[in-house]
Amino acid sequence: MLRWLGWAMLGLLVIAIAAWLLSRFWPLSAAQRQDVRLLEAAHRSEGRNGFALLWTLPFDGLDLAQREAALAEDLQRWQTTPTQASHASVLAARHAPLNLDRSGRCAVGPVGCLAQVRADPQRFADAHAGHAGLHERLARMADYDRFDSPFRPSGNELLPLPAYAPLLDGASAQALAYLQGDVAGAIEGSCSAVRFGRRMMRTGSTLVDSMMGAAVVRTHAALLGEMLVEQPPDYALPVPCEAALQPLDANEQSLCQAMQGEFAMNKAAVEASTQTTGSRLLLDRDHTLARIAGNFGWACRPAAATALAADIPLPVSPPLGWDVRCMANPLGCTLSAIAGPSYAPYAARSQDTAAMIRLLGAQRWLRQQPGPADEALARLPAQWRSHARTPEVSADGRYLQVLQRGPARDGEGPHLSMPLRAD
């Protein structure tokens, strides 16, 4: 009996080892290898990099050289001791950052930013007191071509990110300037913000960067719609607006570069987790990275560019379930599941941002057409519509709208809209 039990245990051990070896050496699929290649093929955009200004945006009284020096010092700390480096800039110890008042920020909802500021201009004026330097820096953001972070992933450490709140301070400031009589300046300032947001969407290093860029574009596009509808139909836009308000192409909507950044952070964490023999027995680097690449690779596939050009939902891959490779990679399968929430809403937000710019163009075109707006819509130029979402006039005739594809924020309805007449 003992001999039989011994042979049985030996047989089970052999089966377990064989199963582990089969699982560990199970080949990656061609699609998985392609996703890894796409995500590792990151390349930096060309042109002037505005990350130093973005990184130091909350601090007044510094020239560009001082801002670049502060970023270089923060980067050196991160590269030397990332586990001990603070995510706040060294500037915080020498310069107090601006204290932003949330009451000066327009709320999301059915009431537009211009209407909110018009209802209580003094509150917004008080909230923006002392922010002239910040608003001047926000205007300069549009002078840069890209916003690549020099910080690189290091092990399991969270990547330092800029303070994004100051980016949201500009819309209500432009609305206030408009109501105080600087119509051309407010419109041009919002166009500059749209131009900056578009570039941040395309060239940011993380998904957060891209989504913040999209938020800036949508916020200022909506404000522009409110301001322009109060101007004559033939109002001549400031020169910077012409380029800022052109339709977004597929490359500008793409989340590929952002997902390459997300993959790089996950890759650094995986490689840091395979430093010991014990962890390598339970975590296979290549199989784990392939699973994680499946979470992000859809953004870089040719099908994504096709979907963005056609304004149809992107084919976002669902997270992989447990499979035979997980027998020798239980930790990796768990990690890849954590890294694999549904990214479809983020892709939809990028497409909704493009839809807002099209709506703004359609609003300007429609106001110059004779006859009812709903009849003129049949002649709407192709650049201001998509086959998937053709704008329509709301039931009360006040708005031009399309269905929103991404998740609605608190207070928002199901439609993206632009006013067709001033209230």
Side-chain angles (χ1 to χ4, degrees):
M1 178 64 71
L2 291 176
R3 183 181 301 171
W4 184 87
L5 288 174
W7 282 109
M9 292 181 65
L10 179 60
L12 289 174
L13 179 61
V14 170
I15 292 173
I17 293 174
W20 186 92
L21 289 171
L22 176 66
S23 173
R24 178 57 61 101
F25 293 103
W26 195 278
L28 300 177
S29 69
Q32 288 177 315
R33 292 193 298 270
Q34 177 68 2
D35 281 342
V36 172
R37 283 195 296 269
L38 290 171
L39 291 167
E40 289 182 337
H43 64 278
R44 296 296 166 186
S45 303
E46 298 180 353
R48 297 181 64 203
N49 189 0
F51 190 84
L53 181 57
L54 176 62
W55 179 252
T56 61
L57 198 59
F59 299 97
D60 281 332
L62 302 171
D63 60 27
L64 181 57
Q66 290 172 307
R67 295 180 187 279
E68 290 177 340
L71 174 59
E73 186 175 348
D74 293 330
L75 180 59
Q76 179 62 35
R77 286 192 306 158
W78 172 255
Q79 292 172 336
T80 305
T81 54
T83 57
Q84 300 176 20
S86 170
H87 285 205
S89 173
V90 294
L91 288 173
R94 304 191 292 264
H95 300 269
L98 281 176
N99 182 23
L100 299 180
D101 188 344
R102 291 182 62 87
S103 66
R105 192 179 306 164
C106 290
V108 175
V111 179
C113 188
L114 185 62
Q116 293 179 50
V117 178
R118 181 174 274 140
D120 193 357
Q122 191 59 51
R123 171 169 69 89
F124 287 91
D126 292 343
H128 287 303
H131 290 188
L134 171 62
H135 298 153
E136 186 272 334
R137 293 192 294 279
L138 288 172
R140 282 163 44 205
M141 297 294 282
D143 296 336
Y144 294 92
D145 304 296
R146 58 192 177 97
F147 298 90
D148 294 334
S149 172
F151 295 99
R152 295 293 176 261
S154 178
N156 291 305
E157 301 303 318
L158 294 175
L159 200 66
L161 297 175
Y164 295 108
L167 297 177
L168 304 176
D169 205 58
S172 57
Q174 299 295 353
L176 187 63
Y178 174 89
L179 294 173
Q180 291 173 342
D182 187 11
V183 174
I187 291 174
E188 182 173 346
S190 286
C191 288
S192 293
V194 169
R195 193 163 71 250
F196 153 68
R198 291 172 67 146
R199 290 172 181 170
M200 191 170 178
M201 284 177 66
R202 180 174 53 85
T203 66
S205 301
T206 65
L207 184 59
V208 178
D209 288 340
S210 184
M211 290 298 100
M212 283 304 305
V216 170
V217 173
R218 285 183 59 171
T219 299
H220 284 272
L223 176 59
L224 279 165
E226 291 185 85
M227 294 190 291
L228 291 174
V229 81
E230 295 184 353
Q231 307 310 309
D234 58 351
Y235 176 82
L237 288 173
V239 173
C241 291
E242 291 300 334
L245 303 185
Q246 290 300 307
L248 275 73
D249 61 25
N251 184 50
E252 289 181 283
Q253 300 175 59
S254 173
L255 294 181
C256 182
Q257 183 162 317
M259 291 307 188
Q260 287 172 334
E262 299 294 326
F263 180 74
M265 287 189 284
N266 279 268
K267 181 178 179 179
V270 168
E271 292 180 339
S273 300
T274 57
Q275 298 303 308
T276 65
T277 302
S279 63
R280 285 194 292 270
L281 290 173
L282 300 175
L283 193 155
D284 180 271
R285 174 190 179 277
D286 292 341
H287 282 167
T288 301
L289 290 179
R291 290 176 64 89
I292 292 173
N295 297 331
F296 302 128
W298 55 268
C300 298
R301 296 171 193 159
T306 301
L308 290 172
D311 188 34
I312 60 176
L314 270 69
V316 177
S317 302
L320 288 175
W322 201 266
D323 61 26
V324 66
R325 286 169 289 220
C326 293
M327 288 190 292
N329 188 33
L331 289 181
C333 289
T334 301
L335 286 174
S336 64
I338 294 173
S342 173
Y343 287 98
Y346 299 104
R349 286 175 186 168
S350 180
Q351 291 181 302
D352 283 345
T353 302
M356 281 292 287
I357 293 296
R358 290 196 299 270
L359 276 177
L360 182 56
Q363 177 214 53
R364 292 168 53 212
W365 183 86
L366 276 175
R367 295 186 67 232
Q368 299 177 39
Q369 305 306 307
D374 55 351
E375 295 179 7
L377 270 179
R379 306 188 306 273
L380 184 66
Q383 69 188 84
W384 304 126
R385 54 182 167 81
S386 76
H387 293 297
R389 289 189 287 181
T390 299
E392 60 183 17
V393 178
S394 63
D396 59 8
R398 296 174 57 200
Y399 296 97
L400 185 66
Q401 61 188 26
V402 295
L403 281 174
Q404 185 167 205
R405 183 167 294 155
R409 297 172 294 181
D410 291 343
E412 284 187 329
H415 291 94
L416 305 170
S417 63
M418 283 287 165
L420 285 175
R421 60 174 186 260
D423 290 330

